[in-house]
Amino acid sequence: MASDSLLSRKYIDGIYIPAGLIVFGTAILKAEYVLHAVVVAIALGAIKFWRTQPKKVLKPDVFQEFVLKEKTIISHNVAIYRFSLPTPSSILGLPIGQHISIGAHLPQPDGSSKEIVRSYTPVSGDHQPGYFDLLIKSYPTGNISKHMAGLGVGQTIRVKGPKGAFVYTPNMVRHFGMIAGGTGITPMLQVVRAIIRGRKAGDVTQVDLIFANVTKEDILLKEDLDALAQEDKGFRVHYVLDKPPQGWEGGVGYVTAEMITKWLPKPADDVKLLLCGPPPMVSGLKKTAETLGFKKARPVSKLEDQVFAF
């Protein structure tokens, strides 16, 4: 039974049993007050129920501070940063497919300070209350990514959101074709996990993902992706490397029209192509997709577009 079912253990132990004891105890001691006891029990139960519901904390126009709780090193320049939410039952309130903005006042070469804002998609979701996780690759010339790499446990970041034009709803299309490069995997992973979680509720969306990187060591969250593909036959992942190791059996070089034709769904009204990665890569893929019969992508994507770039 789902953890948020009205018959789950937390409601039985925390609401129904205490309410029943109030009514039962009153019936034994003062039977004429049973009706009053029922009203009190219902009121107290409603308050307890409201307090146990997840509270959305994101504000679209106001930066809020969140404390770094844990930092998991993935490689020399990649880490997963876990930030605490105000309470164990708090959630970001981030729709699937949208992202958050992180802002920081960073020193400039001229000695001044400037607020820099960058967008990131958590690799966690609202089904995991109490915290959110960010997968971030830091670059020597980066702004926010370099700032994040220097954070220690107990320090804070400033976040606002939700942001973005894409919001996933179950069965919005028959088949997603996804192409990600590097850390562009994060919004794709968010959508894939939501689809797989929704299988029991009737989500039958098919997904094929092309994930492009430079070397095999650069493939972020490969174990997670492979486990999801193993778990769910409706999700397939295809790896492409620019510099593959000896014996590599995946794609080689940049993502080509041939790869898209081989691995991703053909253009159709119930098919959507999702792109996320370095701007030159995304720009080139938009043009390639058009030559393959997909509708021309707009400079700034809208939810209804057949080719959507995060």
Side-chain angles (χ1 to χ4, degrees):
M1 185 173 292
S3 62
D4 59 352
S5 166
L6 291 177
L7 295 179
S8 64
R9 176 57 60 183
K10 69 176 182 180
Y11 293 138
I12 293 174
D13 293 344
I15 297 177
Y16 304 145
I17 291 177
L21 289 175
I22 291 174
V23 176
F24 182 70
T26 303
I28 293 175
L29 298 174
K30 289 281 185 178
E32 62 269 27
Y33 291 135
V34 167
L35 182 59
H36 297 84
V38 169
V39 172
V40 170
I42 291 174
L44 292 176
I47 293 172
K48 182 66 178 292
F49 178 81
W50 180 82
R51 287 178 175 174
T52 60
Q53 296 310 294
K55 303 299 188 297
K56 297 179 181 180
V57 302
L58 276 179
K59 297 178 181 179
D61 301 314
V62 179
F63 276 112
Q64 300 178 82
E65 291 195 350
F66 297 96
V67 177
L68 179 61
K69 175 183 179 181
E70 188 179 330
K71 184 174 178 180
T72 303
I73 304 299
I74 304 299
S75 69
H76 71 284
N77 62 351
V78 178
I80 294 178
Y81 302 81
R82 175 163 293 185
F83 292 91
S84 297
L85 294 175
T87 72
S89 62
S90 296
I91 59 174
L92 273 178
L94 185 70
I96 301 299
Q98 294 200 304
H99 55 265
I100 59 175
S101 295
I102 296 178
H105 293 279
L106 302 178
Q108 301 300 300
D110 62 2
S112 64
S113 179
K114 180 181 179 182
E115 183 177 51
I116 305 296
V117 178
R118 294 289 184 270
S119 298
Y120 291 94
T121 302
V123 291
S124 57
D126 284 349
H127 62 293
Q128 299 164 296
Y131 66 89
F132 65 96
D133 291 341
L134 296 174
L135 174 73
I136 297 179
K137 184 173 184 177
S138 60
Y139 299 90
T141 57
N143 288 303
I144 296 297
S145 70
K146 187 177 179 181
H147 172 71
M148 294 288 289
L151 284 180
V153 172
Q155 293 185 287
T156 62
I157 58 168
R158 299 167 65 244
V159 171
K160 67 179 180 181
K163 304 289 183 181
F166 186 89
V167 177
Y168 176 73
T169 52
N171 297 309
M172 65 188 295
V173 294
R174 173 179 56 86
H175 202 152
F176 277 118
M178 300 178 173
I179 308 176
T183 53
I185 191 63
T186 54
M188 308 303 187
L189 184 59
Q190 186 190 48
V191 173
V192 168
R193 283 175 169 166
I195 290 170
I196 294 175
R197 285 199 307 274
R199 293 298 192 207
K200 291 182 179 179
D203 197 332
V204 297
T205 309
Q206 294 289 302
V207 182
D208 277 278
L209 163 68
I210 295 176
F211 189 16
N213 288 277
V214 178
T215 69
K216 189 175 181 180
E217 291 68 34
D218 292 322
I219 303 176
L220 301 172
L221 301 176
K222 187 177 187 299
E223 289 185 2
D224 296 62
L225 291 167
D226 290 343
L228 289 171
Q230 183 69 29
E231 170 192 345
D232 190 274
K233 300 307 179 185
F235 169 59
R236 294 157 292 274
V237 58
H238 315 276
Y239 298 105
V240 176
L241 295 180
D242 190 33
K243 299 179 181 178
Q246 190 74 27
W248 173 254
E249 296 181 355
V252 177
Y254 295 131
V255 178
T256 64
E258 290 73 22
M259 293 176 187
I260 296 173
T261 300
K262 178 181 179 182
W263 290 324
L264 301 189
K266 304 295 185 290
D269 290 340
D270 55 0
V271 165
K272 193 182 287 286
L273 186 62
L274 305 181
L275 310 175
C276 191
M281 172 186 173
V282 171
S283 178
L285 288 172
K286 284 182 177 181
K287 296 174 183 176
T288 301
E290 188 178 357
T291 67
L292 293 175
F294 288 91
K295 295 175 184 177
K296 184 176 181 179
R298 307 187 214 200
V300 179
S301 296
K302 302 291 186 182
L303 178 61
E304 63 270 20
D305 291 353
Q306 187 177 45
V307 178
F308 185 96
F310 288 97

